[in-house]
Amino acid sequence: MREPNVNNERVIKDDFNIKQQLERYFMNWKWFLFSGFICITVAFLYLRYTTPIYSISTSVFIKDDKKGGLSEMGAFADIPGLAGSKVNLDSESEVLKSRALVGKTINDLNLNISYFADGRVISTELYTSSPIKVQFFDKKEDFYKRDTTFVINMKSSNSFQIENESGKPSGIYTFGATIALPFAKMVVIKEQSTKSLSSVLVRLTNTESIINKYISKLKIEPTTLKSNVIKISVTDPVKELGEDFLDVLLKNYDEDAIGDKNEVAKNTEKFINKRLDAISGELDTVEGSMESFKKVNRVTDIVSESGAFLEMATEYQKEYLNVQTKMRIVAEVSDFLSKANNQTTIPANLVPDEGNISGLIEQYNLMVIGKKRILNDATPENPTVQNMEQQLTGLRQSIRQGLKNLENALAISERDLKKQSDVLGGKIGEIPTQERQYRSIGRKQSVKEALYLYLLQKREENAILLYATASNAKIIDVAYSKPNPISPNPDAIYVAALVLSLLIPFASIFIYDLLDTKIKTRSDIEGATLAPFLGDLPHSDSNQDLISVDSRSSSAEAMRMIRTNVDFMLSEVPEAVAKVIFLTSTFPKEGKTFVSVNLAGTIALSGEKVLLVGLDIRNPKLDEYMNLPKKGVTNYITAKDDDIHNYIFRQDGYDHFDVFSAGVIPPNPAEMLMNKKVGEMFETLKKEYDYIIVDTAPVSLVTDTLLIAKYADAFIFVVRANFLDKRLLNIPDGLYREKKLPNMSILLNDTSTHKGYGYGYGYGYGYGYGYGYGVEKVKLPWYKEFFSFRKN
């Protein structure tokens, strides 16, 4: 037993002991084992019945026209500025993830129709191994918006039965027969499959939800920052489905990109063919006029009479014709521009190479194409589309102004050339009128013919371009699925299960200890009070069994050790008088009466003459442990000149154990205990007995115990384990420090008997004064033993 502090100073004790804490968790190793078993089992079942998810990826090289390769602008290489554009990987990534492209891929693969085989726990998707295929035709408008499930049950090798969502079966159908459904007509086709299934679940899913699912799963990223190679990946529980999805997605992307590239060439082809038809008619008219002129004037060739002048006139005429040709082309393009809108590209290979008009037309056409691609996934009200619309309007105005400036410049050149021709005309006035008329017709023919030949040449170049457009992307690695699933990850799952198996019991024990403020062990008491610790009593299944001579239970051995410790506490009491021991507690039901009865019995078995007195006159409990008469202390105090021995009775089975019960419960217990007969009673009894054990009232509720504390040689303050809150230890600690209860010590009652000590009679710890007995390990039911918390 711990010796008191001589200066009565408060001792601050650090409760944290790392070894003790570790032992706390080691003692509950069964909880960790059970938690590990549960967590590993759950992890195994999760891995067993969770559908694995695979990662499928492909690598694609996006071609950059600026870095080489055939471009649709190659046919217009003679017009500066009409070259290929630089690729933008971010834009191409958005195109690949566009709803239009993903939706087309889903429709091509019929991914809105899926097949499943029901298992005992989960269903497995049958992408390529389904024994049947379902085809729909004459689809209603809401076909792609429906979510429907039905089951096809095989009845024979040639027939089947359909079971709807509610489980209601339909008639028997044969494979290949047309079946009318509310949303479409259906044909079920039998396929060659390695799986023999009695039923197949067919699920028709809303196409929009499928599109959203694959867009969310589709991941596109460049392999390096400066590379035009991108990696496209998707996750799916069916590897073959993911591979097919990526392959078809890239195929549709190529077709879409080629279509965009061919749009300019197709528009140019339409324009050239239209102009060729018009110029051909005009050329026929001019040639007919020349034929008529020669017939009327009966001439086949007009020889110039002045070679020198005619040669000069010829040179001016060539320049004049060139200028007129350019003016006609400019006029035709201007007319086309005035009729076209911002959705139509402008022919880029007809305008003469003057000014910056060609570059503006190239920029305009590229922006029209870019706007159309954005409109595939956006509305006209999109800010980007509106911004591009404004830029296109500005470019059209710039092109129109450039054409006007070019037309003005050509008009000036024409006037200058005409003036020079007029000067030469005056010098060759001798040339017959027929020559002038002939040349006038010839000029018209030359203009028409030159324009006609020019358009024919461009039409051939454009035709070559139209059928030789290269793909926009090159597949480096075909779609490939990793052999192992990315989810669930067995290693990560088992590691997480192992961590949880340690964390759950650890946290449970920690929280249990954190929230449990009840007194458990001796250390809880010694850390909160200076009062000496007398010992502890293990839990007893019965409160009515008194200790006998042959008792060998843990409670009996503990009580014998307490008897020995009590003798040490009372060593200063003279031998000639009885040793008076009071027992009290903080609250009722802490076992002070049980301890009083058994302590008195234990001392009596040692041959000492013992008297057990019940002074808890408000709530007497001695009659619960032994058969006692109704009269007792209260009757003696209120009686006049009565012999005290008339109220004392011998306990059956004991030679030296007398009992003085509390008697009738009085209306004024405190005043009765202050009666002088109480002191006389103790004086008389101390002369006749060796030990007087007194069961008193709890100190926190009434003052009865404090009123009679002066008659005690020692106080045993009983504290019940798992009952009293640790914070209430300030009550016995205050009583001890203020010396209100003489020679006070604390006894811990009702401690657990399965803490793992494992000591029986004849063994024990030597903790010093106040603790030295062994505790038997009580055999509990296996489930209680396994699921009980251990506390040091």
Side-chain angles (χ1 to χ4, degrees):
M1 187 176 68
R2 186 185 61 191
E3 295 296 334
N5 191 306
V6 295
N7 297 323
N8 202 26
E9 295 177 352
R10 185 74 173 175
V11 177
I12 304 300
K13 181 176 180 180
D14 186 5
D15 290 336
F16 181 78
N17 185 303
I18 187 170
K19 181 179 179 181
Q20 184 180 17
Q21 293 297 321
L22 290 176
E23 289 177 350
R24 169 81 171 108
Y25 294 105
F26 286 138
M27 289 176 63
N28 289 282
W29 63 270
K30 292 180 181 179
W31 275 103
F32 287 91
L33 181 63
F34 177 74
S35 175
F37 173 76
I38 294 297
C39 290
I40 295 299
T41 301
V42 171
F44 172 78
L45 294 176
Y46 175 78
L47 293 172
R48 173 66 178 83
Y49 294 109
T50 299
T51 302
I53 303 298
Y54 296 90
S55 176
I56 305 98
S57 61
T58 182
S59 297
V60 180
F61 173 72
I62 304 298
K63 296 179 182 179
D64 190 345
D65 295 334
K66 285 287 188 180
K67 298 180 180 179
L70 181 62
S71 168
E72 64 267 27
M73 296 297 132
F76 309 108
D78 56 336
I79 302 177
L82 294 183
S85 60
K86 180 174 175 58
V87 69
N88 188 320
L89 290 183
D90 292 336
S91 299
E92 299 305 316
S93 298
E94 292 302 317
V95 171
L96 283 165
K97 295 181 68 173
S98 64
R99 296 185 65 84
L101 194 61
V102 174
K104 186 176 186 305
T105 303
I106 288 172
N107 290 333
D108 290 345
L109 292 172
N110 290 324
L111 295 185
N112 62 319
I113 305 172
S114 49
Y115 308 88
F116 295 88
D118 284 335
R120 286 178 295 180
V121 178
I122 61 175
S123 298
T124 305
E125 183 170 0
L126 307 171
Y127 177 63
T128 57
S129 58
S130 174
I132 62 165
K133 289 294 181 184
V134 177
Q135 294 181 356
F136 294 95
F137 57 94
D138 291 345
K139 304 170 185 175
K140 300 294 178 64
E141 293 181 356
D142 63 341
F143 176 80
Y144 292 102
K145 298 179 181 179
R146 299 182 70 94
D147 288 305
T148 305
T149 301
F150 56 89
V151 178
I152 295 180
N153 297 315
M154 310 299 178
K155 292 300 181 180
S156 67
S157 60
N158 297 318
S159 62
F160 62 91
Q161 186 181 51
I162 299 178
E163 184 178 306
N164 59 23
E165 291 180 285
S166 60
K168 182 179 179 181
S170 64
I172 305 298
Y173 302 96
T174 58
F175 290 106
T178 301
I179 303 171
L181 298 176
F183 49 87
K185 292 182 178 179
M186 180 181 72
V187 173
V188 180
I189 302 173
K190 193 171 184 180
E191 296 280 333
Q192 295 294 331
S193 175
T194 57
K195 290 189 176 182
S196 177
L197 300 174
S198 60
S199 64
V200 175
L201 185 146
V202 181
R203 181 174 298 162
L204 184 63
T205 309
N206 187 331
T207 303
E208 287 298 318
S209 63
I210 298 292
I211 293 174
N212 292 333
K213 181 179 76 171
Y214 275 94
I215 287 178
S216 64
K217 296 194 298 183
L218 195 60
K219 185 178 181 182
I220 304 173
E221 56 187 0
T223 54
T224 59
L225 293 177
K226 297 182 179 181
S227 172
N228 281 357
V229 178
I230 59 175
K231 180 181 180 182
I232 308 173
S233 60
V234 69
T235 57
D236 201 273
V238 181
K239 294 187 286 186
E240 296 82 2
L241 191 153
E243 292 171 357
D244 290 347
F245 175 80
L246 291 181
D247 290 339
V248 176
L249 178 71
L250 289 178
K251 173 179 170 291
N252 291 335
Y253 168 75
D254 276 346
E255 292 176 354
D256 187 58
I258 291 174
D260 289 342
K261 289 183 178 183
N262 286 339
E263 185 174 356
V264 174
K266 290 179 180 179
N267 287 336
T268 303
E269 182 183 31
K270 292 178 182 179
F271 176 79
I272 291 175
N273 289 333
K274 183 180 179 180
R275 292 310 305 151
L276 280 173
D277 292 340
I279 297 300
S280 178
E282 294 175 2
L283 187 58
D284 288 343
T285 302
V286 172
E287 289 178 345
S289 298
M290 181 174 290
E291 181 181 0
S292 299
F293 174 80
K294 288 184 177 183
K295 286 180 179 181
V296 170
N297 291 280
R298 295 182 178 182
V299 294
T300 57
D301 187 18
I302 301 175
V303 181
S304 177
E305 295 181 358
S306 179
F309 291 131
L310 289 177
E311 288 179 3
M312 293 177 61
T314 300
E315 291 298 325
Y316 282 114
Q317 185 65 28
K318 288 182 179 179
E319 294 184 19
Y320 184 83
L321 290 175
N322 186 31
V323 170
Q324 278 198 329
T325 299
K326 292 180 179 180
M327 290 180 66
R328 187 64 177 271
I329 293 173
V330 170
E332 293 290 345
V333 175
S334 298
D335 181 66
F336 177 83
L337 183 62
S338 65
K339 296 179 181 179
N341 53 32
N342 288 353
Q343 306 296 328
T344 307
T345 55
I346 302 172
N349 61 338
L350 303 177
V351 181
D353 303 337
E354 297 179 19
N356 192 32
I357 299 175
S358 298
L360 293 175
I361 292 175
E362 176 200 8
Q363 187 177 355
Y364 178 88
N365 288 337
L366 292 176
M367 190 167 294
V368 169
I369 293 173
K371 186 183 75 171
K372 288 183 177 181
R373 294 180 68 181
I374 293 176
L375 282 174
N376 289 334
D377 297 302
T379 63
E381 288 76 20
N382 189 283
T384 303
V385 175
Q386 293 293 329
N387 183 42
M388 294 182 72
E389 190 72 22
Q390 295 175 3
Q391 294 182 36
L392 287 171
T393 302
L395 286 173
R396 285 172 58 86
Q397 184 64 29
S398 299
I399 294 171
R400 187 179 290 111
Q401 185 63 40
L403 291 173
K404 185 176 180 181
N405 293 340
L406 180 57
E407 186 177 10
N408 293 334
L410 292 174
I412 294 173
S413 299
E414 183 187 28
R415 288 196 298 271
D416 291 342
L417 290 172
K418 192 174 184 303
K419 187 183 293 183
Q420 294 294 335
S421 296
D422 291 340
V423 173
L424 288 175
K427 292 181 181 181
I428 58 174
E430 296 84 6
I431 298 176
T433 302
Q434 293 87 350
E435 179 71 17
R436 291 196 304 271
Q437 292 176 351
Y438 179 81
R439 290 192 176 278
S440 176
I441 297 172
R443 283 196 300 271
K444 292 180 181 180
Q445 182 189 24
S446 299
V447 171
K448 302 298 181 182
E449 187 176 4
L451 182 58
Y452 186 79
L453 293 175
Y454 182 80
L455 290 175
L456 282 177
Q457 178 186 354
K458 293 305 176 182
R459 184 172 68 176
E460 292 303 317
E461 293 176 353
N462 196 67
I464 294 173
L465 166 67
L466 188 61
Y467 294 100
T469 303
S471 171
N472 195 45
K474 178 182 179 181
I475 298 177
I476 298 176
D477 291 325
V478 296
Y480 170 74
S481 172
K482 294 182 179 179
N484 296 323
I486 60 171
S487 174
N489 186 335
D491 294 338
I493 295 297
Y494 280 120
V495 169
L498 183 60
V499 172
L500 282 176
S501 68
L502 297 175
L503 184 61
I504 291 174
F506 180 89
S508 301
I509 296 172
F510 179 80
I511 294 174
Y512 176 82
D513 290 343
L514 190 66
L515 298 179
D516 186 10
T517 59
K518 303 297 183 181
I519 295 172
K520 301 288 184 182
T521 63
R522 169 182 180 175
S523 60
D524 294 334
I525 296 175
E526 291 183 335
T529 179
L530 294 171
F533 186 78
L534 184 64
D536 57 6
L537 281 176
H539 173 77
S540 176
D541 293 330
S542 173
N543 61 355
Q544 297 178 348
D545 294 335
L546 294 179
I547 294 175
S548 60
V549 177
D550 56 350
S551 295
R552 290 295 181 269
S553 66
S554 59
S555 298
E557 296 303 324
M559 191 60 69
R560 292 185 178 100
M561 297 305 300
I562 291 172
R563 178 190 63 189
T564 303
N565 292 336
V566 167
D567 288 339
F568 282 106
M569 294 183 62
L570 299 174
S571 58
E572 296 182 0
V573 178
E575 293 293 335
V577 296
K579 301 174 180 178
V580 182
I581 304 171
F582 280 27
L583 286 92
T584 186
S585 62
T586 305
F587 296 110
K589 298 184 179 181
E590 291 198 63
K592 61 179 180 60
T593 304
F594 172 79
V595 175
S596 301
V597 171
N598 283 280
L599 179 61
T602 302
I603 297 176
L605 291 175
S606 65
E608 303 288 348
K609 191 174 182 181
V610 180
L611 174 65
L612 176 61
V613 182
L615 281 184
D616 186 0
I617 59 178
R618 295 176 186 265
N619 187 24
K621 294 292 183 180
L622 289 179
D623 55 353
E624 295 181 2
Y625 297 89
M626 51 190 69
N627 295 322
L628 298 174
K630 297 296 183 182
K631 60 181 180 179
V633 175
T634 56
N635 303 94
Y636 167 73
I637 295 174
T638 56
K640 295 181 179 180
D641 301 328
D642 197 0
D643 186 4
I644 192 173
H645 298 91
N646 295 331
Y647 301 93
I648 298 176
F649 302 91
R650 177 62 53 86
Q651 175 64 22
D652 295 338
Y654 291 84
D655 296 332
H656 307 289
F657 187 5
D658 294 340
V659 181
F660 192 5
S661 65
V664 180
I665 299 176
N668 55 344
E671 289 75 10
M672 184 168 291
L673 292 176
M674 296 173 64
N675 193 300
K676 64 180 181 178
K677 291 186 69 175
V678 175
E680 296 173 355
M681 176 187 71
F682 278 106
E683 290 297 328
T684 301
L685 296 175
K686 289 173 68 173
K687 297 177 182 178
E688 299 179 9
Y689 292 93
D690 298 321
Y691 287 88
I692 299 176
I693 309 299
V694 183
D695 178 27
T696 64
V699 295
S700 66
L701 302 179
V702 293
T703 61
D704 297 3
T705 301
L706 298 178
L707 294 175
I708 59 176
K710 57 187 177 181
Y711 303 116
D713 295 320
F715 257 92
I716 298 177
F717 199 99
V718 179
V719 174
R720 185 176 180 181
N722 300 304
F723 178 83
L724 188 67
D725 195 287
K726 295 177 183 179
R727 294 168 292 184
L728 294 177
L729 285 175
N730 62 341
I731 294 176
D733 183 62
L735 294 172
Y736 176 79
R737 288 186 289 107
E738 296 171 7
K739 300 186 181 299
K740 291 183 178 181
L741 302 180
N743 200 13
M744 190 189 89
S745 61
I746 295 179
L747 184 146
L748 182 60
N749 184 35
D750 198 24
T751 59
S752 297
T753 59
H754 56 284
K755 301 300 183 184
Y757 298 117
Y759 305 125
Y761 178 65
Y763 301 88
Y765 270 142
Y767 285 124
Y769 181 42
Y771 190 70
Y773 64 90
V775 180
E776 293 180 348
K777 184 174 182 179
V778 178
K779 182 65 175 178
L780 296 176
W782 69 268
Y783 57 90
K784 288 186 177 181
E785 178 70 23
F786 191 89
F787 290 106
S788 61
F789 272 125
R790 309 295 195 205
K791 184 173 178 66
N792 293 331

